[in-house]
């Protein structure tokens, strides 16, 4: 038997799939036990697909697949054959949540021989995952003796059948769930899980599992046309409700919320998506089953996408599919807009911005995601709402239950579930202290940032989104010391044109209300991936083709940005700085582009900025050795200690294995920084520091000790740093710190802490 297409002499693949579905539907509607129904289903599939074998594996426990029914393999293997996720081809299907079709399965490196099944005589194999609520609930496998090439249509048909099986498995009739429940109970011990900090903060609350799940009653429909009409009606409804979300007053003022949701609506309008759903309807599915079917596909794709940006966009589609289902099944939804406890920790695989906003944010104490990235839409929204987020927490959904007490310790990228009383008390105390501190810092807002011995310190914020600018006024900061212009690019699905950028930068300047904003030109590459730009490449992206290197090699993007900045700041002050400058000539080349753009604007008779200041970031150590040549050229300098640290120590800043290995409070770093400040002061070039260390009170104290008087930090750090500044006698520290420069220590953290303790510095 050679490759047997489902359509052979029996009509189109669509009608075949409809016929198979109809038969399975009849079985499902019958009065037999679940196990008997499963047996009938494998027989029907095997016959319909002209396959010798059809088997259904069901997930048991965390990651085991158990053979539940088979046509063709030895019946005695049922409930005996068990495969781990990743084991064998079936295990691979489960692990990757992806369908496989192999003409010669035994040649496949993952082929796992199981003597009890007698399967050595089968050559070809197709396996599809049974997906439910985004998780793999089982696998359906079809095998043939010959080297058969399964067609796309056959695979699609099996995926549709898998949806029906998902409902049967979820019904709980197949196995006594007691054993699995016992396993879950055994796991209900206190748990600490690590992840990735996506928004800082600390929160304690009750777990609310966000498992958007639907029980789709009707999978198969007889009248595709009426299903198509239902789909379109639901689509229109969904648009209406997204419009309402966009019109929400709470969102009206903040640009990014709106941008994110606008983007989202554009994705919703993507005709390709709708067309795929309509195709699925034509194969005989109801509208909701078709949406679910396409959604399963999307999820499988998402699992395989490596580009984080792409994964996020695909995830938006998943979120939209969920919305569409809500509109289709109307009212049957399980989790959307549900009542949540007063202090809720939402736990999800991943979620879109709109789903997140469905929860009452007054009650949100934290968010935990299995996936996500700091640049994902949901992270951006969470940051704006000040909700701590830990992402990349593996399998968290399977390890938590609704109502579990959870601590989200985002600052340390960890969560605690069902913590013991002592751990809980410690964190509750932490939350209380944070609230107290917030009140205390709020009382300093109108106090000047002047040291106890009279040195004025300029405290600025690092920003990247419009919403960050609110903090400028809220905390009475002096300005924006670093505006990371790549962030708005990352938050959107496309590159921004000159007009869009101009509007955006003008809005930033308006919001800043006359306070200076230092715009850093695009720092892309490294860990900052833009849409349509491709992922980070090269062996060592942080030291690779990024930031000013990209800008000078592909000047069009930088020139557009400069044009937009110049236009946005016409008649006002404009500060621009360039990232990752490694030698003076790079600054000179960048400045030439600025001048070219200025001349262009003037030639067109357009207004230009009243004052234009150009600066560089000192992030690459080589630049520190060119200060005599550099300082005559620039208007200001800002030390980017995040990158500088990684280059000084040859320590990848993104590698968790190196986190904490070297210390920015080492004699080497302090001496290095002191030399930079000294050189800048001598030439009267304003110098500041805008890396993360500026926002940590002890580190910020050390920076004042080596001479910095201008710091830029995340808005949340302004309060603690100002409290430190106001309690510090900086002259005494300066006298002491010099004595630490040539010490052999790994760090002088302890000595600095000792100084703070002895001199009553609030750190
Ligand atoms: C830095 O490197 O210190 C810096 C402020 O820039 P970024 O963190 O955006 O690389
Ligand atoms: Mg940097």
């Amino acid at each position: 038997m050679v490759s047997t297409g489902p359509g052979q002499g029996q009509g189109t693949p669509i009608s075949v799939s409809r016929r198979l579905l109809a038969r399975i539907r009849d079985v499902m509607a019958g009065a037999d036990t679940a196990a008997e129904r499963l047996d009938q289903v494998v027989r029907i599939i095997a016959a319909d697909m002209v396959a010798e074998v059809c088997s259904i594996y069901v997930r048991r426990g965390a990651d085991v697949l158990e053979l539940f029914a088979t046509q063709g393999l030895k019946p005695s293997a049922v409930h005996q054959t068990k495969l781990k996720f990743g084991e064998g081809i079936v295990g691979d299907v489960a692990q990757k949540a992806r369908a496989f079709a192999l003409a010669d399965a035994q040649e496949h490196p993952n082929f796992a021989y199981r003597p009890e099944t007698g399967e050595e005589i089968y050559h070809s194999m197709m396996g599809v995952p049974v997906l439910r609520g985004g998780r793999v609930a089982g696998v359906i496998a079809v095998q043939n003796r010959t080297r058969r090439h399964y067609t796309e249509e056959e695979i699609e048909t099996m995926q549709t059948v898998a949806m029906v099986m998902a409902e049967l498995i979820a019904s709980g009739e197949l196995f006594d769930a007691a054993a699995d429940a016992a396993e879950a109970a055994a796991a209900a011990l206190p748990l600490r899980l690590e992840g990735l900090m996506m928004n800082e903060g600390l929160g304690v609350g009750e777990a609310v599992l966000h498992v958007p799940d639907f029980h789709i009653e009707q999978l198969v429909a007889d009248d595709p046309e009426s299903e198509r009409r239902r789909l379109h009606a639901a689509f229109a409804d969904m648009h209406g409700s997204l419009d309402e979300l966009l019109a929400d007053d709470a969102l009206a003022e903040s640009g990014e919320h709106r941008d994110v949701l606008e983007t989202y609506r554009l994705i919703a309008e993507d005709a390709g998506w709708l067309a795929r759903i309509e195709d699925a309807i034509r194969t005989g599915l109801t509208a909701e089953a078709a949406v679910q079917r396409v959604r399963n596909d999307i999820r499988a794709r998402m699992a395989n996408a490596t580009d984080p940006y792409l994964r996020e966009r695909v995830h938006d589609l998943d979120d939209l599919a969920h919305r569409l289902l809500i509109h289709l099944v109307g009212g049957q939804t399980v989790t959307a807009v549900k009542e949540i406890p007063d202090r809720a920790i939402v736990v999800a695989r991943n979620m879109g911005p709109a789903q997140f906003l469905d929860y009452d944010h007054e009650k949100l104490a934290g968010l935990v995601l299995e996936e996500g990235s700091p640049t994902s839409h949901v992270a951006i929204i969470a940051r704006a709402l000040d909700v701590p987020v830990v992402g990349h927490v593996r399998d968290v959904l399977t390890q938590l239950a609704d109502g579990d007490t959870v601590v989200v310790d985002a600052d340390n990228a960890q969560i605690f579930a069902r913590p013991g009383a002592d751990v809980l008390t410690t964190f509750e105390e932490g939350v209380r202290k944070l609230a107290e501190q917030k009140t205390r810092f709020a009382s300093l807002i109108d106090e000047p940032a002047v040291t106890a011995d009279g040195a004025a310190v300029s405290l600025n914020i690092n920003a990247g989104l419009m919403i960050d600018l609110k903090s400028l006024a809220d905390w009475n900061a002096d300005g924006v010391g670093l505006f990371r212009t790549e962030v708005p690019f990352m938050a959107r699905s496309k590159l921004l044109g000159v007009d869009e950028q101009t509007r955006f930068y003008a809005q930033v300047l308006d919001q800043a209300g006359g306070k200076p904003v230092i715009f850093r030109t695009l720092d892309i590459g490294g860990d900052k991936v833009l849409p349509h730009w491709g992922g980070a490449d090269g062996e060592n992206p942080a030291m690779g083709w990024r930031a000013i290197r990209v800008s000078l090699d592909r000047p069009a993007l930088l020139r557009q940005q400069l044009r937009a900045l110049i236009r946005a700041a016409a008649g006002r002050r404009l500060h621009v700085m360039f990232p990752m400058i490694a030698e003076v000539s790079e600054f000179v080349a960048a400045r030439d582009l600025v001048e070219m753009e200025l001349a262009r604007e003037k030639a067109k008779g357009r207004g230009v900025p009243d004052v234009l200041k150009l600066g560089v970031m000192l992030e690459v150590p080589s630049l520190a050795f060119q200060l005599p040549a550099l300082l005559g050229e620039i208007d200001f300098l800002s030390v980017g200690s995040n990158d500088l640290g990684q280059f000084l120590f040859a320590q990848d800043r993104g590698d968790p294995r190196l986190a904490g290995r070297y210390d920015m409070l080492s004699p080497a770093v302090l001496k290095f920084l002191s030399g930079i400040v000294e050189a800048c002061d001598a030439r009267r070039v304003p110098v500041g520091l805008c890396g993360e260390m500026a926002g940590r009170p002890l580190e910020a104290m050390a920076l004042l000790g080596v001479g910095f008087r201008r710091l830029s930090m995340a808005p949340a750090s302004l309060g603690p740093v100002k409290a430190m500044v106001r309690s510090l006698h900086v002259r005494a520290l300066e006298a002491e710190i010099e004595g630490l420069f040539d010490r052999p220590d790994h760090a002088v953290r302890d000595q600095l802490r000792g100084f703070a303790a002895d001199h009553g510095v609030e750190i």
Side-chain angles (χ1 to χ4, degrees):
M1 201 177 337
V2 208
S3 169
T4 312
Q8 274 193 0
Q10 304 162 4
T12 64
I14 286 174
S15 68
V16 168
S17 121
R18 279 241 274 280
R19 189 193 58 206
L20 176 60
L21 275 182
R23 283 194 195 158
I24 290 177
R25 178 182 55 183
D26 292 344
V27 170
M28 288 298 144
D32 300 324
T33 66
E36 286 163 350
R37 276 181 274 161
L38 215 52
D39 284 339
Q40 293 172 47
V41 167
V42 290
R43 277 202 296 277
I44 294 173
I45 297 174
D48 205 275
M49 305 280 293
V50 201
E52 280 88 17
V53 176
C54 175
S55 313
I56 294 184
Y57 297 81
V58 177
R59 180 184 199 155
R60 297 297 301 271
D63 56 0
V64 172
L65 294 162
E66 183 176 318
L67 181 65
F68 260 65
T70 184
Q71 163 72 24
L73 296 184
K74 289 185 185 159
S76 57
V78 170
H79 298 305
Q80 297 307 314
T81 296
K82 291 184 180 142
L83 294 162
K84 281 216 166 72
F85 270 42
E87 185 187 352
I89 300 169
V90 168
D92 226 22
V93 170
Q95 190 170 50
K96 301 203 168 88
R98 216 184 81 193
F100 280 108
L102 302 163
D104 204 336
Q106 295 183 24
E107 296 285 296
H108 192 273
N110 246 12
F111 181 76
Y113 173 61
R114 284 308 179 93
E116 75 271 18
T117 62
E119 74 183 333
E120 68 269 34
I121 49 173
Y122 301 106
H123 275 290
S124 46
M125 174 172 208
M126 176 207 331
V128 298
V130 176
L131 298 165
R132 190 166 161 93
R135 340 207 102 251
V136 174
V139 171
I140 308 182
V142 167
Q143 289 170 282
N144 278 78
R145 263 199 199 94
T146 54
R147 288 180 172 76
R148 169 173 173 179
H149 292 272
Y150 301 97
T151 63
E152 275 297 314
E153 286 81 9
E154 287 171 323
I155 298 170
E156 295 229 342
T157 301
M158 287 306 290
Q159 284 172 324
T160 304
V161 172
M163 287 181 57
V164 185
M165 291 303 101
E167 295 299 317
L168 181 62
I169 292 172
S171 72
E173 299 165 65
L174 268 176
F175 53 90
D176 170 16
D180 293 25
E183 193 177 323
L189 296 166
L191 203 62
R192 178 182 161 276
L193 298 170
E194 289 181 4
L196 181 78
M197 191 264 272
M198 285 172 44
N199 187 38
E200 56 195 13
L202 175 65
V204 177
E206 268 178 61
V208 173
L209 302 197
H210 176 89
V211 190
D213 215 353
F214 287 88
H215 178 60
I216 299 174
E217 302 271 346
Q218 265 303 89
L219 284 159
V220 187
D222 297 322
D223 181 1
E225 192 40 44
S226 89
E227 293 305 308
R228 219 181 61 81
R229 277 197 301 273
R230 288 185 57 227
L231 173 71
H232 282 264
F235 215 68
D237 275 0
M238 179 177 80
H239 276 280
S241 73
L242 281 177
D243 286 341
E244 272 169 36
L245 209 54
L246 274 164
D248 188 328
D249 281 352
L251 301 176
E253 36 176 294
S254 55
E256 279 67 35
H257 284 75
R258 292 191 62 79
D259 287 341
V260 164
L261 291 169
E262 292 276 11
T263 308
Y264 193 68
R265 196 173 53 177
L266 284 180
I267 300 172
E269 279 163 9
D270 183 331
W273 186 58
L274 194 57
R276 281 171 62 196
I277 301 172
E278 288 182 335
D279 280 349
I281 288 178
R282 272 196 291 277
T283 68
L285 294 179
T286 57
E288 49 270 47
V291 174
Q292 188 67 30
R293 166 83 180 71
V294 170
R295 187 181 187 203
N296 285 344
D297 244 27
I298 288 169
R299 284 176 167 170
R301 267 159 223 248
M302 178 161 58
N304 296 314
T306 46
D307 174 31
Y309 197 87
L310 190 67
R311 283 174 65 93
E312 287 308 326
R313 296 299 75 77
V314 177
H315 181 263
D316 285 344
L317 268 179
D318 185 65
D319 187 22
L320 280 169
H322 174 246
R323 289 213 148 231
L324 193 51
L325 282 172
I326 295 178
H327 290 282
L328 271 169
V329 278
Q332 282 187 38
T333 158
V334 185
T335 51
V337 211
K338 73 175 172 189
E339 268 303 305
I340 54 170
D342 284 347
R343 293 195 307 167
I345 306 281
V346 173
V347 184
R349 193 169 58 87
N350 201 345
M351 69 192 331
Q355 279 179 311
F356 186 59
L357 289 169
D358 279 340
Y359 290 99
D360 177 355
H361 62 255
E362 298 284 323
K363 295 182 174 177
L364 287 178
L367 175 65
V368 181
L369 300 175
E370 290 190 351
E371 302 180 351
S373 76
T375 54
S376 64
H377 287 163
V378 70
I380 290 167
I381 303 271
R383 213 166 293 145
L385 297 176
D386 199 17
V387 175
V389 188
V390 178
H392 285 230
V393 185
R394 269 192 76 188
D395 294 331
V396 64
L397 276 173
T398 52
Q399 309 195 54
L400 294 189
D402 269 314
D404 277 350
T405 301
V406 177
V407 174
V408 179
D409 177 15
D411 295 344
N412 297 302
Q414 58 182 352
I415 70 157
F416 294 84
R418 305 175 290 269
D422 46 345
V423 174
L424 188 60
T425 315
T426 312
F427 281 106
E428 292 274 19
E429 181 67 3
V431 170
R432 206 180 46 72
K433 274 208 185 112
L434 278 178
E436 255 175 39
Q437 267 181 353
K438 272 190 184 157
T439 319
R440 146 117 184 82
F441 296 143
S443 72
L444 295 179
I445 288 174
D446 294 322
E447 303 296 330
V450 175
T451 62
D453 53 351
V457 179
S458 169
L459 297 184
N460 301 274
I461 61 162
N462 292 347
L465 292 170
M466 199 75 75
I467 192 94
D468 295 331
L469 291 165
K470 211 171 145 286
S471 318
L472 196 55
D474 286 357
W475 287 100
N476 201 10
D478 294 316
V480 178
L482 166 66
F483 194 97
R484 292 182 165 103
T485 59
E486 63 279 0
V487 177
F489 276 74
M490 292 194 288
R492 291 163 176 79
S493 329
K494 56 181 172 36
L495 294 176
L496 301 177
V498 176
D499 291 344
E500 264 175 304
Q501 286 190 62
T502 308
R503 272 197 302 279
F504 180 76
Y505 302 140
Q507 228 180 328
V508 171
L509 289 170
D510 293 345
Q511 290 279 317
K515 290 184 175 177
V517 179
I518 299 180
F519 289 99
R520 176 178 72 186
T521 62
L522 285 175
D523 182 2
I524 50 174
D527 60 338
K528 295 158 179 162
V529 182
L530 287 196
H532 310 311
W533 189 262
D537 52 9
E539 288 266 306
N540 214 327
M543 294 207 279
W545 195 56
R546 61 172 278 210
I548 194 70
R549 302 165 183 186
V550 173
S551 296
L552 292 179
D553 291 355
R554 299 268 190 281
L557 204 56
L558 178 59
R559 285 188 58 181
Q560 286 182 7
Q561 182 174 37
L562 293 170
R563 199 173 306 155
L565 285 166
I566 290 169
R567 284 182 190 169
R572 324 193 230 193
R573 266 186 307 173
L574 176 62
H575 292 78
V576 178
M577 81 177 161
F578 303 101
M580 286 280 290
I581 297 285
E583 54 179 36
V584 182
S585 67
E586 288 172 337
F587 169 74
V588 172
R591 185 178 59 195
D592 286 349
L593 294 178
V594 176
E595 276 162 10
M596 204 184 286
E597 288 303 325
L598 266 182
R600 188 189 141 118
E601 291 300 292
K602 284 182 188 155
K604 291 195 164 188
R606 295 183 195 251
V608 292
D610 288 344
V611 178
L612 174 56
K613 301 275 187 201
L614 298 181
V616 298
M617 288 192 77
L618 195 150
E619 305 182 273
V620 183
S622 60
L623 196 64
F625 300 96
Q626 302 162 64
L627 291 177
L630 177 74
L631 294 173
E633 306 290 331
I634 59 176
D635 297 315
F636 63 93
L637 185 133
S638 186
V639 176
S641 54
N642 305 338
D643 274 311
L644 182 64
Q646 80 168 338
F647 298 133
L648 275 180
F649 288 115
Q651 173 208 20
D652 185 338
R653 81 193 238 196
D655 189 336
R657 291 167 302 185
L658 296 183
R661 186 174 190 103
Y662 302 103
D663 196 327
M664 292 303 275
L665 291 184
S666 68
V669 172
L670 295 179
K671 189 174 183 180
F672 190 86
L673 292 175
S674 154
I676 294 169
V677 177
E678 199 178 318
C680 291
D681 285 353
R683 297 287 292 269
R684 295 184 183 284
V685 173
V687 58
L689 186 140
C690 61
E692 295 306 308
M693 68 184 294
R696 298 194 196 107
L698 185 68
E699 278 85 338
M701 181 189 92
L703 292 172
L704 298 186
V706 300
F708 282 98
R709 292 294 178 268
R710 190 182 296 269
L711 301 175
S712 192
M713 63 202 74
S717 297
L718 283 168
V721 171
K722 193 188 264 189
M724 179 280 293
V725 168
R726 292 177 52 81
S727 59
L728 172 70
H729 283 85
V730 71
R731 304 267 173 270
L733 176 62
E734 281 173 344
E736 194 149 319
I737 211 163
E738 254 201 76
L740 303 175
F741 289 166
D742 291 319
R743 290 192 60 86
D745 310 60
H746 161 73
V748 292
R749 196 166 278 279
D750 289 344
Q751 291 91 327
L752 290 166
R753 272 210 198 97
F755 176 90
D758 294 348
H759 294 78
V761 185
E762 270 189 60
I763 52 165

